[in-house]
Amino acid sequence: MKNKHFFTFFVTLLLFVSCSDKTPVLLNRTEFALGTYCTVKIYGMSEGKANSALKEAFARLSKIESIASAKNPDSELFYVNENAYGNGVVAVSEELFALLYSGLFYSRLTEGAFDITLGAIVELWGIGTENARIPSPEEIAVAVENSGYEHLLLNEAELSVRFLKSGLKVDLGAFAKGYAADEMQRVLIEHGVENAIIDLGGDIITIGGNNGAGWRIGLTDPQNTGEVCAVLRVSDKAIVTSGDYERYFMHEGKRYHHIFDRNTGYPAESGLRSATVAFEHMGIHGAAIHADALSTAFFVMGKEKAVEFVSTFQQINYILIDDGLNFTFSEGLDLEIIK
Ligand code: FAD
Ligand code: MG
């Protein structure tokens, strides 16, 4: 407890312990994208090279947003959501197809705890927007009826998409940030970056090992979001957290947050306040998208189901924090609980 104010560099879901960095930051760039602040810090590299790496990484981020945003009327996904039912199939870019394919995979794997087709429910509640409200039970029933990955048809040969239900909407908010972080990692590594941190509003990738010291990442205390409740020491990992304490509103003492249970159409009530998943990336991109999909799924599943899920799939590191601030976490993590 006593050293909690030591952690000063606040980001959306996690906190970096910046003073532990062994290598001085060379370049640090933040942009607002994907509805959040996105920061990349590059350490120990020539300035010219770091600058061009950053430029290309942020251009990649912006390109992904233009494809995968469910909110932007000019995005490719928006067009799909408007046209994939009734008018036959919609042909999509390879990149959007790959995202949908991967999203469908995780939706099936988690039996809908993570489900990329909850757009109707997400829009109805409007959490995180100025239109946030508690919808009527009838409205919720309709949105639940209009959700479900079973109604999403992908044709790999044609790279096309078809919705089998009117009102179905794809929302990639639960894992496209992870994909974007993976892609930024790929760009940075292609530019020779060896030590860096990518943080897309809580979807974090660390590149390198901070000269052997590891990167220290603080986990936000869900009960007091200005503080950290644990510190994770990592190198070469993707670390992603889903929690109920960033996008929510309160009504009559009850919290209504942005991660939904498709079975009820209400914000998930699994007893968890946050679920963090960490994957080793070993210099190869692709870890953050897994961590992002699974952290959302675990948040919805709750502790017992998430632990059972992990027992059948190896090498998933997780930290689950429940509403009593109790921790459940996998072995093999360098985790210091400070509360
Ligand atoms: P996660 O748990 O990773 O994701 C939760 C989000 O996924 C929810 O907000 C919802 O969109 C969706 N979701 C809810 N329940 C489930 C579920 N059970 N399974 C699957 N998905 C679910 N935010 C803005 O405010 N404005 C923007 O313009 C905007 N544009 C974005 C564009 C892109 C490409 C992406 C990836 C995100 C964008 N966002 C935007 C943020 C987005 O709306 C989510 O709020 C954000 O991604 C939530 O991330 P998280 O890490 O907090 O939670
Ligand atoms: Mg997620």
Side-chain angles (χ1 to χ4, degrees):
M1 275 293 269
K2 68 178 186 313
N3 63 349
K4 68 191 173 196
H5 299 295
F6 195 56
F7 308 106
T8 51
F9 188 61
F10 185 68
V11 294
T12 314
L13 286 169
L14 301 167
L15 299 163
F16 290 131
V17 185
S18 54
C19 50
S20 70
D21 301 338
K22 290 270 178 184
T23 324
V25 184
L26 175 72
L27 280 176
N28 179 357
R29 179 163 160 185
T30 299
E31 284 187 12
F32 194 80
L34 315 180
T36 190
Y37 287 100
C38 301
T39 298
V40 177
K41 292 176 172 187
I42 296 179
Y43 297 78
M45 190 189 199
S46 91
E47 193 170 341
K49 282 186 177 173
N51 245 327
S52 60
L54 279 177
K55 196 172 161 204
E56 206 180 304
F58 276 96
R60 192 76 191 92
L61 175 66
S62 158
K63 171 75 179 165
I64 291 165
E65 183 163 22
S66 76
I67 291 172
S69 169
K71 295 184 169 71
N72 178 358
D74 297 327
S75 79
E76 192 182 359
L77 179 62
F78 198 93
Y79 182 82
V80 170
N81 278 337
E82 294 291 301
N83 294 285
Y85 178 77
N87 299 333
V89 298
V90 176
V92 296
S93 64
E94 265 182 52
E95 184 155 32
L96 181 57
F97 191 87
L99 265 171
L100 294 170
Y101 192 90
S102 170
L104 193 53
F105 169 80
Y106 283 107
S107 302
R108 287 180 179 142
L109 187 73
T110 64
E111 296 176 339
F114 166 93
D115 187 330
I116 58 167
T117 66
L118 304 195
I121 299 173
V122 172
E123 267 187 31
L124 179 65
W125 284 83
I127 298 196
T129 73
E130 57 191 21
N131 304 319
R133 67 184 176 99
I134 303 173
S136 70
E138 293 75 24
E139 289 176 301
I140 292 172
V142 171
V144 169
E145 183 62 25
N146 290 338
S147 299
Y149 63 85
E150 312 79 18
H151 310 304
L152 171 64
L153 217 61
L154 301 180
N155 184 323
E156 202 173 354
E158 293 175 358
L159 294 186
S160 67
V161 185
R162 195 174 148 213
F163 294 169
L164 301 178
K165 198 170 249 302
S166 136
L168 192 80
K169 285 198 170 163
V170 169
D171 181 311
L172 301 175
F175 89 143
K177 269 198 307 188
Y179 173 70
D182 285 332
E183 281 298 291
M184 292 176 95
Q185 178 201 353
R186 183 179 60 73
V187 170
L188 296 187
I189 287 177
E190 278 172 10
H191 279 77
V193 172
E194 290 180 350
N195 272 294
I197 294 177
I198 301 164
D199 173 15
L200 309 186
D203 282 42
I204 291 172
I205 294 182
T206 61
I207 300 176
N210 191 23
N211 281 342
W215 307 100
R216 299 180 71 217
I217 293 177
L219 272 67
T220 298
D221 178 352
Q223 293 177 345
N224 194 346
T225 54
E227 296 179 357
V228 297
C229 58
V231 177
L232 187 61
R233 191 187 293 268
V234 294
S235 50
D236 281 321
K237 273 201 174 55
I239 311 108
V240 179
T241 297
S242 281
D244 68 2
Y245 47 82
E246 284 281 328
R247 290 189 180 224
Y248 69 94
F249 67 84
M250 298 297 289
H251 179 71
E252 294 178 351
K254 194 170 161 60
R255 181 183 294 264
Y256 294 89
H257 60 79
H258 71 313
I259 305 173
F260 295 98
D261 182 340
R262 65 167 260 183
N263 297 312
T264 63
Y266 282 81
E269 290 189 76
S270 68
L272 292 181
R273 299 293 315 276
S274 84
T276 299
V277 172
F279 271 115
E280 202 93 37
H281 60 65
M282 294 176 287
I284 304 162
H285 72 288
I289 195 169
H290 300 299
D292 202 351
L294 291 182
S295 58
T296 303
F298 290 176
F299 183 90
V300 175
M301 287 177 187
K303 187 163 74 182
E304 279 75 28
K305 278 195 186 151
V307 170
E308 191 189 323
F309 182 94
V310 169
S311 69
T312 50
F313 298 92
Q314 302 300 310
Q315 292 178 334
I316 301 175
N317 284 308
Y318 61 90
I319 304 160
L320 309 174
I321 305 177
D322 72 14
D323 40 22
L325 209 61
N326 301 302
F327 284 69
T328 306
F329 54 96
S330 52
E331 285 174 15
L333 284 177
D334 187 347
L335 180 71
E336 180 193 354
I337 297 170
I338 56 174
K339 277 200 155 182

